[in-house]
Amino acid sequence: MGLLDDQQSRCTQNADTVPKRIGVLTGGGDSPGLNAAIRAATLTAIRKYGMEVIGFVDGFNGLFDPEGGTVPLGVDDVQGIEALGGTILGTASRGNPFRMVVRDEQGNPILGPDGKARTVDRSAEAAERLKELGIGGLLTIGGDGTLSMAREFYEKFGVPVVGVPKTIDFDLSGTEATFGFKTAVQVASEALDRLRTTADSHDRVLILELMGRYAGWIALHAGLAGAAHAILLPELPYDPRAVWERITNRFRRQRKFSLVVIAEGARPVGGDYAVAEERAHPAGLPVLGGAGPRLRAELEALNEEEHARVLSEGGNPPEAPEIRVVVLGHIQRGGTPLADDRIIATACGSFAVDMVVRGLFGYMSAWTHLGPKAVRLDEATVPHLIEPDTEPLVQLARDIGICLGDGPDTAGDNC
């Protein structure tokens, strides 16, 4: 008997503890596979346990809207949604009940003396709302932010929460996969395949900026799959000159195009993250963006530096490659999820309902190669980042000659 069969068998044996009603919400950024998780949780709750299922609209925000904040979820409501991107329940990345933004009558944030939006703790109100609705288990489908809020609800108020690991960034611990990640990597890999042909045709360097925040998993996996010539990660600050040497060496050996993958959280040695927008919300993380354009500017500055130096020495400056930037952005989040992501989402969503029956609150339904298992939320929300010195895929990239921006170009004639 495998891990999945064994744990689900024990869930069935404890069916006398089945609550009458559970809630489901999706929080944070959208991710391929959310609807598959909603579908699996709903069908398991109804068909296996005879529960009633309530969906909360727009994440935790639905707890504060007595009019349209909830929707009933029945078997017919979730038919055919497994292949849909996004989430039928909606989501919100700024709906933190512990730090809710105070708004005026027009719905605009009220700013404090520091220029940031004022917030108020409405978590007790949210916990009471769940009691009023008779929610015997709340499935919180999300990433590190959403699951950290779920953990806080459990620890402070004893709210019966069970997490489900959704994030394209793959930055949750205690799970071998988070649904949405594989689809994001596939989209990025296909983008590299397409960029390769146009880069080759025009003898250009194309920089592809990818999502992932402070985790470089998407960039590392996609860069390897798409045969990038350089991959720059948040966990490994880069030297622009190392990248410049790689692309110019290739260009001057008549391999005139190069593909450079850069994670949005990548930063140069001694530099900070590229920020596209500072959020007004006091607890809101900045919107990362601009790592690709910044790298282009750094590389072009090195081209100009070489040009001026050669001229000053009385030489004829060599030709430098043309550099363009592509920011893939939210294309990585949307669209049809891959089969793998649907399977992971389905299994973890279903098992989360089993965990409710077992009373495994304060845990996350994690994925392993043997099937789902329960992992404590305080373990799951530990950041899962790349360890450059020990990560096998980083070593693989080095072994096959990919530039990681942390040293001189040693590939020479083989680049």
Side-chain angles (χ1 to χ4, degrees):
M1 179 178 288
L3 177 64
L4 176 59
D5 295 332
D6 178 53
Q7 291 188 342
Q8 287 194 333
S9 173
R10 282 181 281 156
C11 289
T12 304
Q13 293 167 7
N14 290 285
D16 57 331
T17 63
V18 175
K20 294 181 179 179
R21 176 183 289 179
I22 65 168
V24 180
L25 64 81
T26 54
D30 63 313
S31 181
L34 280 170
N35 285 321
I38 294 169
R39 172 180 175 271
T42 300
L43 295 181
T44 300
I46 294 173
R47 290 176 171 168
K48 186 174 182 180
Y49 296 113
M51 296 177 182
E52 181 183 357
V53 184
I54 299 295
F56 289 95
V57 177
D58 293 341
F60 289 106
N61 288 338
L63 294 168
F64 304 101
D65 182 0
E67 299 291 331
T70 62
V71 292
L73 292 176
V75 172
D76 291 341
D77 299 307
V78 297
Q79 294 302 320
I81 68 171
E82 66 282 345
L84 300 178
T87 163
I88 63 168
L89 294 176
T91 187
S93 58
R94 304 188 187 185
N96 185 345
F98 295 89
R99 287 172 287 277
M100 292 289 288
V101 173
V102 180
R103 301 181 182 275
D104 60 23
E105 294 179 355
Q106 287 72 43
N108 299 313
I110 298 176
L111 303 182
D114 59 356
K116 293 186 176 181
R118 289 173 50 195
T119 64
V120 62
D121 186 347
R122 299 181 65 183
S123 57
E125 180 184 342
E128 186 60 32
R129 172 72 170 154
L130 289 168
K131 287 183 181 179
E132 292 172 355
L133 291 171
I135 301 299
L138 179 64
L139 273 55
T140 52
I141 309 174
D144 59 340
T146 301
L147 297 188
S148 293
M149 294 177 213
R151 173 188 169 190
E152 202 167 356
F153 269 117
Y154 173 72
E155 292 176 347
K156 288 188 175 182
F157 303 104
V159 173
V161 296
V162 172
V164 182
K166 171 273 334 172
T167 168
I168 67 170
D169 302 336
F170 190 30
D171 56 356
L172 289 171
S173 295
T175 182
E176 293 179 14
T178 60
F179 62 84
F181 171 70
K182 292 188 177 184
T183 301
V185 169
Q186 182 65 32
V187 170
S189 300
E190 290 175 358
L192 281 169
D193 290 344
R194 294 176 182 275
L195 292 176
R196 175 177 297 274
T197 58
T198 186
D200 191 11
S201 298
H202 291 275
D203 298 337
R204 286 177 177 150
V205 173
L206 284 180
I207 299 171
L208 179 64
E209 181 182 319
L210 298 176
M211 284 183 164
R213 293 199 63 79
Y214 306 113
W217 295 109
I218 298 176
L220 180 59
H221 282 245
L224 283 167
H229 303 101
I231 302 173
L232 305 182
L233 308 171
E235 299 90 341
L236 190 62
Y238 67 88
D239 177 358
R241 186 170 292 277
V243 184
W244 179 80
E245 288 178 354
R246 170 54 56 90
I247 65 174
T248 52
N249 285 344
R250 281 183 53 80
F251 185 79
R252 289 165 190 171
R253 293 198 62 77
Q254 300 306 309
R255 295 169 181 173
K256 296 202 170 200
F257 80 96
S258 293
L259 296 177
V260 178
V261 171
I262 183 168
E264 63 182 357
R267 49 184 172 162
V269 175
D272 207 345
Y273 301 105
V275 175
E277 176 188 347
E278 290 283 359
R279 287 179 171 151
H281 194 304
L285 295 172
V287 178
L288 299 184
R294 178 174 63 186
L295 176 62
R296 176 185 178 181
E298 291 166 339
L299 297 177
E300 289 180 340
L302 289 168
N303 283 338
E304 293 171 5
E305 178 185 308
E306 180 193 49
H307 185 88
R309 177 179 56 77
V310 173
L311 275 180
S312 69
E313 295 171 352
N316 185 26
E319 185 182 4
E322 182 181 358
I323 305 170
R324 298 288 180 89
V325 178
V326 176
V327 180
L328 200 55
H330 287 78
I331 291 174
Q332 295 157 92
R333 309 195 78 100
T336 303
L338 292 177
D340 276 356
D341 277 335
R342 296 188 216 181
I343 292 169
I344 294 167
T346 298
C348 289
S350 175
F351 188 64
V353 179
D354 293 333
M355 289 169 63
V356 169
V357 174
R358 291 176 57 191
L360 283 174
F361 304 125
Y363 282 76
M364 180 183 77
S365 173
W367 177 255
T368 77
H369 62 285
L370 296 175
K373 73 171 184 178
V375 173
R376 290 171 57 93
L377 281 174
D378 57 359
E379 298 176 9
T381 51
V382 173
H384 174 229
L385 304 176
I386 295 172
E387 296 289 345
D389 293 335
T390 58
E391 171 55 43
L393 292 184
V394 170
Q395 186 57 52
L396 170 60
R398 295 189 191 281
D399 290 345
I400 62 177
I402 294 176
C403 171
L404 297 176
D406 61 337
D409 182 17
T410 58
D413 293 349
N414 296 316
C415 70

